[in-house]
Amino acid sequence: MNAPASNSLNAVLRQHAEQQFAEELAELASQDKKPRPGNWLLSPWAVKTYLLGGTLENGFQVSPKYIGSPRLIEITVATLATDRALLLYGVPGTAKSWVSEHLAAAISGDSSLLIQGTAGTDESALRYGWNYARLLAEGPSEGAMVASPMLKAMRDGKLARLEEMTRVPSEVQDTLITLLSEKTLPVPELGIEVQARRGFNVIATANNRDKGVNEMSSALMRRFNTVILPTPETFDEEVAIVSRRVAELGRALELPAEKPALEEVRRVVAVFRELRSGLTEDGKTKLKSPSGSLSTAEAISVLGHGMAVAGYYSDGVLRAADLAASLTGAIVKDPVQDKLVWLEYLKTVARERDGWKDLYRACMDVV
């Protein structure tokens, strides 16, 4: 017997944004009286409110999905209302995929039309493929054609998401040029073409570390508006992001641990920011930086791992000993160079800082 749909959804490890925040999207839609582009579920005003959070006229609270510059979100939403595609660009861990997913959920009600860019991505991932059993039996036909997420987005007037654009081979990237310019996808085997419906657009992501792997041609770049998502500007902003996401992660995974104390979050964020910038927060001590990106996303993972350790092997209260292994693993990617950088930080910064002796000892035990 099949489980009820609600039970099946609750068993999913990670729901799509439109499922997880269905109540907020429905409430925004009911209160949204502003003009909206063709085939959009929400107006640009409501999409911005969904991303940044706020209080509606009826008192309903919309939770923030992105903590950062409101102007950046306005630019991303406005871009998608035009005929230009959107490229979210930045260092790893700056919420490019997260913002992409929530934009698709709010605008199209469907964030699942996703193409994961890799070195092995071929043209069929952007165009279409074939069901070869039906192709042999019937010959070329629409029934034998397997639509890509891009083709589905064009037919339905929705947003398609392309992750890690610069990992896609250059010849496959060029497939997008005609598609984005003409808003059509020819199917020469059938003598037809698929024309995009209103509401169709593309959100692509790329990170700075991949620059030069498969650089985008100038012809393709002209089809995109590029928005750079920065690392959190201030310490408090990053602490707020990490605190919120760790709490959500703990609930989603049903970890048997308390929400991390603010002081533990602040310590992890401080370590990441200082090593990332090569300078202590007070500006007095220069530091060497490790080879990894030390992104906000990695800080969230470190705290999530610590919660799991505290919940399953301790009393559920997150302490330095629960964080030490995952914190060290996030920093020490190169076992030689990064280990030296981490040891220097522990001995010159952590050991001397008030209230950090427990973190220093715990990390020294595992480094």
Side-chain angles (χ1 to χ4, degrees), residues 130-335:
W130 297 99
N131 179 328
Y132 287 103
R134 293 191 65 174
L135 185 65
L136 290 171
E138 305 171 7
S141 67
E142 289 196 45
M145 189 171 71
V146 179
S148 68
M150 187 73 69
L151 181 56
K152 291 177 183 177
M154 293 180 70
R155 276 197 312 217
D156 298 338
K158 294 182 177 182
L159 294 179
R161 300 167 55 211
L162 176 55
E163 292 287 300
E164 305 291 356
M165 168 76 88
T166 50
R167 291 188 179 277
V168 176
S170 299
E171 62 273 15
V172 180
Q173 290 181 16
D174 289 344
T175 303
L176 281 172
I177 294 176
T178 302
L179 190 152
L180 293 177
S181 297
E182 306 298 329
K183 301 297 189 292
T184 62
L185 200 163
V187 186
E189 295 91 342
L190 302 181
I192 63 173
E193 65 177 12
V194 176
Q195 294 183 301
R197 293 185 59 201
R198 294 186 67 186
F200 166 74
N201 214 328
V202 175
I203 309 174
T205 66
N207 72 66
N208 296 4
R209 294 296 180 95
D210 282 342
K211 186 175 181 181
V213 174
N214 289 304
E215 290 192 49
M216 297 168 62
S217 67
S218 59
L220 182 56
M221 284 293 291
R222 288 196 299 272
R223 272 69 180 179
F224 285 91
N225 273 355
T226 301
V227 174
I228 298 175
L229 294 185
T231 55
E233 186 173 346
T234 66
F235 176 77
D236 289 339
E237 187 178 282
E238 189 159 6
V239 167
I241 294 169
V242 173
S243 295
R244 176 176 291 276
R245 291 289 294 122
V246 168
E248 292 172 354
L249 182 66
R251 288 194 297 270
L253 298 178
E254 299 180 350
L255 296 176
E258 297 179 9
K259 178 183 174 182
L262 181 61
E263 184 55 34
E264 295 300 342
V265 176
R266 292 177 69 87
R267 291 203 293 187
V268 171
V269 170
V271 170
F272 272 46
R273 287 182 70 88
E274 290 177 330
L275 286 173
R276 197 165 63 210
S277 66
L279 192 68
T280 54
E281 283 287 324
D282 59 13
K284 294 179 179 178
T285 307
K286 289 187 177 181
L287 304 165
K288 294 176 182 175
S289 295
S291 60
S293 61
L294 297 183
S295 66
T296 306
E298 288 176 291
I300 294 166
S301 295
V302 166
L303 285 155
H305 179 271
M307 287 174 63
V309 173
Y312 291 117
Y313 297 109
S314 186
D315 60 1
V317 179
L318 183 64
R319 297 183 177 85
D322 305 314
L323 291 170
S326 57
L327 182 58
T328 299
I331 294 166
V332 181
K333 304 298 187 186
D334 183 309

Side-chain angles (χ1 to χ4, degrees), residues 48-64:
K48 176 187 172 184
T49 303
Y50 171 74
L51 266 292
L52 296 177
T55 303
L56 303 184
E57 288 184 358
N58 63 355
F60 185 87
Q61 291 284 337
V62 178
S63 63

